[in-house]
Amino acid sequence: TIIPLLNQALSLRILMRRVDVAVGSLFMSRNTDNIIICFFCRHKNVAHQLFCQNCNKILTANTNFFIKFGYPVTFDINPTDCKNRYLKMQSQVHPDLFVKKSEIEQTLALNVSSYLNDAFNTLKDNLSRSKYILKLHNIDIDNHANSDFLESPEFLDEILDLNEEQSQISGDAEQENFAQKMNSKITITLADIANDFKVQNYNQAAIDTIKLSYYQKASKKYN
């Protein structure tokens, strides 16, 4: 009677592990930013690795995007280098490479591949990268409700002036001039954001990131 009970318990344990893989809850609760514990052998691995150093099985990817790509948390990232790192990692974990592996490994490959897509799309874009860094410091500029520091009277006045200027644009020449004006503001603001993060002034980085978002939206209308 004991053996059937053990078999049932083992089957239940396997099922629970598969569920944990699917939702990621097991890994999220046990991993840290700098360490990833292998699901299969429980070996501790450096977080930027894709495969366990001990058993060579695929690892989960629930760490921050910068660490997985081998970057420090910085606003200054070379887009070409970022793309090269992304393609190299995807070439190793693409789900098609795991069709003959176990069900758990296939699920992990799907999760890691999707994670890398999200990470790349975030890190390659100036605006999303800035927002992500701010979130790592508990600042979510997409949710303004409890962020009084994001209020900038000067910028609000500037928005009103720019909106009025846009409403008076009537020809191609004026559109081009306004687009050039926005592009110039974008360049300046990107430099400001980089400096904000360099000196760890995250409140100002949040304000400048909101500026960047507005300038980019305004620029796209005429580019």
Side-chain angles (χ1 to χ4, degrees):
T1 57
I2 295 178
I3 293 178
L5 288 175
L6 289 175
N7 288 337
Q8 290 179 15
L10 180 60
S11 297
L12 179 60
R13 181 61 177 166
I14 293 173
L15 178 61
M16 291 177 64
R17 283 200 171 194
R18 288 176 177 173
V19 171
D20 282 330
V21 171
V23 302
S25 61
L26 176 64
F27 310 117
M28 291 301 291
S29 63
R30 295 187 181 180
N31 290 343
T32 67
D33 275 346
N34 296 315
I35 296 295
I36 292 181
I37 299 175
C38 177
F39 173 76
F40 301 93
C41 72
R42 315 313 297 165
H43 181 75
K44 292 182 179 181
N45 296 270
V46 180
H48 68 80
Q49 295 172 328
L50 295 173
F51 297 92
C52 178
Q53 284 187 316
N54 182 57
C55 69
N56 204 36
K57 298 284 189 180
I58 187 171
L59 295 169
T60 56
N62 58 299
T63 184
N64 85 55
F65 294 159
F66 290 98
I67 289 176
K68 182 55 70 175
F69 272 61
Y71 291 124
V73 178
T74 176
F75 185 70
D76 298 315
I77 286 182
N78 183 294
T80 301
D81 179 73
C82 185
K83 183 176 181 179
N84 289 339
R85 295 187 188 207
Y86 164 72
L87 292 175
K88 182 178 180 180
M89 288 189 287
Q90 277 289 22
S91 70
Q92 298 177 67
V93 300
H94 194 280
D96 289 349
L97 300 174
F98 292 79
V99 291
K100 295 184 179 180
K101 300 290 185 179
S102 68
E103 184 177 339
I104 293 177
E105 290 173 277
Q106 291 179 39
T107 302
L108 279 173
L110 284 170
N111 290 344
V112 174
S113 180
S114 176
Y115 161 90
L116 291 176
N117 284 335
D118 292 340
F120 175 63
N121 288 329
T122 297
L123 296 181
K124 73 177 182 178
D125 179 74
N126 290 319
L127 180 60
S128 61
R129 184 169 65 256
S130 184
K131 287 183 177 181
Y132 184 71
I133 296 174
L134 289 170
K135 284 184 178 180
L136 292 178
H137 291 87
N138 300 314
I139 299 175
D140 185 357
I141 66 172
D142 291 325
N143 182 9
H144 296 190
N146 298 313
S147 302
D148 294 336
F149 60 84
L150 294 180
E151 297 180 5
S152 172
E154 296 82 3
F155 180 53
L156 293 177
D157 288 340
E158 182 184 2
I159 289 178
L160 292 176
D161 292 340
L162 290 174
N163 285 341
E164 182 177 355
E165 184 177 345
Q166 287 187 79
S167 68
Q168 297 175 358
I169 293 176
S170 58
D172 292 341
E174 291 183 354
Q175 289 183 10
E176 183 177 352
N177 289 336
F178 185 81
Q180 291 178 352
K181 182 177 182 178
M182 289 301 97
N183 290 337
S184 177
K185 286 181 175 293
I186 288 171
T187 300
I188 294 171
T189 305
L190 287 173
D192 289 341
I193 293 173
N195 184 66
D196 293 337
F197 285 127
K198 184 177 181 179
V199 300
Q200 299 182 6
N201 188 344
Y202 301 113
N203 287 4
Q204 186 60 47
I207 294 172
D208 288 334
T209 300
I210 291 175
K211 291 182 180 181
L212 177 64
S213 178
Y214 178 82
Y215 296 148
Q216 287 186 345
K217 288 179 182 178
S219 175
K220 286 180 181 179
K221 293 180 182 179
Y222 304 106
N223 282 325

